[in-house]
Amino acid sequence: MTTANDPVTQPGKVTLVGAGPGDPDLLTVKAARLIGSARLVVYDRLVSAEILALIPPEAEQVFAGKECGRHYLTQSETNDLLLRLARSGRDVVRLKGGDPFVFGRGSEEALFLARNGITFEVVPGISAAAGVSTYAGIPLTHRGLATGTRFVTGHLRDGKPLDLHWDKLGDPDTTLVIYMGLQSLKETSAELIAAGLSPDTPAAAIENGTTPRQRRVIATLETLYDRAHAAELHPPTLIVIGKVVSLSDELDWFDAKIGPAAS
């Protein structure tokens, strides 16, 4: 039983930090500072080993990762974990790959914390779309090739078909970036072609973008699935579809440094 004289534990603060696409040199100054001074870090699978190495050795690290078909913690369990840690009076660095608010479920976690009275902060990160495409030599927009960009998720839920507006995605003047799209790549290609996008549209799959383990496959919309399968690409792999991919060889500044591409 508590009394009026018992100390009250002040809840801690949760900071959702975007770790960017993998290269630690792409961390924001604020993200690097928070990681370097952290005492408790809850991190995702998409945070690279190079960035995890920046966490102080004395800090507690909690893995809350997810991968296709395998959740170490469900999203609900992750929310509850953050709430429990914050209520214990501890400040938490919640480290998420890319940007927390771009297919990172950061907004779900922030809403949950806000509705439970926990102070939170969000530190943006370079998104996978921006970072990985640049390291693959692919601009998301280019005069005469693409006037806009669309981001979608290719994640399959419980094996169900993707529920996307294919007729709106098959725009030849728009670059299409697909997060978590490797597993559904065959279906995606077929649906886009059926929606009217040319089978010869340039397309790319980039594995472990911005890291020394980066590999890229450059093909067409029709051939990308077979080429990616032959190259044995694995998640995390970003898919980029559009005429801008045709510039990848001329603008390839990164793969040339670490070895030949898988294209």
Side-chain angles (χ1 to χ4, degrees):
M1 184 177 70
T2 60
T3 69
N5 294 324
D6 290 335
V8 177
T9 301
Q10 283 293 111
K13 175 181 177 181
V14 178
T15 305
L16 288 82
V17 178
D23 183 348
D25 285 343
L26 296 181
L27 286 169
T28 65
V29 172
K30 188 170 187 177
R33 173 173 58 79
L34 288 167
I35 294 170
S37 61
R39 292 295 174 264
L40 172 59
V41 179
V42 178
Y43 68 96
D44 278 350
R45 180 182 63 89
L46 293 178
V47 179
S48 70
E50 291 85 352
I51 290 175
L52 291 177
L54 302 177
I55 300 173
E58 66 273 14
E60 180 181 350
Q61 299 183 37
V62 180
F63 179 58
K66 304 174 183 68
E67 57 186 311
C68 185
R70 185 180 183 184
H71 286 200
Y72 293 88
L73 290 178
T74 65
Q75 188 59 54
S76 178
E77 289 171 337
T78 298
N79 293 346
D80 290 338
L81 171 66
L82 296 175
L83 179 61
R84 185 172 68 252
L85 291 172
R87 282 181 171 170
S88 72
R90 306 180 70 183
D91 290 333
V92 182
V93 170
R94 173 66 170 115
L95 197 55
K96 304 179 78 68
D99 182 277
F101 278 10
V102 181
F103 295 122
R105 307 189 91 170
S107 56
E108 295 178 35
E109 295 175 8
L111 277 173
F112 182 82
L113 295 168
R115 290 169 180 173
N116 283 278
I118 300 299
T119 300
F120 69 92
E121 182 179 357
V122 182
V123 179
I126 291 179
S127 68
V132 172
S133 61
T134 296
Y135 274 54
I138 302 170
L140 294 181
T141 61
H142 186 88
R143 186 170 56 177
L145 295 180
T147 58
T149 305
R150 296 195 69 164
F151 302 158
V152 299
T153 174
H155 178 61
L156 295 172
R157 291 188 176 183
D158 301 321
K160 298 179 181 178
L162 289 175
D163 184 20
L164 297 173
H165 299 289
W166 299 108
D167 56 328
K168 297 179 181 178
L169 296 179
D171 180 358
D173 296 320
T174 298
T175 304
L176 181 62
V177 179
I178 306 174
Y179 285 71
M180 299 168 283
L182 189 60
Q183 183 189 25
S184 59
L185 181 54
K186 187 173 185 178
E187 175 190 348
T188 297
S189 299
E191 291 284 2
L192 288 172
I193 292 171
L197 196 58
S198 171
D200 295 326
T201 301
I206 307 107
E207 175 190 81
N208 289 313
T210 80
T211 76
R213 299 171 297 284
Q214 174 173 310
R215 293 195 298 154
R216 58 174 202 159
V217 169
I218 308 297
T220 66
L221 179 59
E222 186 174 43
T223 63
L224 184 60
Y225 171 77
D226 289 336
R227 297 286 298 277
H229 181 73
E232 299 183 343
L233 297 188
H234 299 284
T237 294
L238 190 78
I239 308 299
V240 183
I241 299 169
K243 289 181 283 188
V244 290
V245 177
S246 64
L247 301 176
S248 61
D249 285 339
E250 290 180 273
L251 298 181
D252 176 19
W253 61 273
F254 182 69
D255 275 338
K257 295 181 180 179
I258 64 172
S263 56

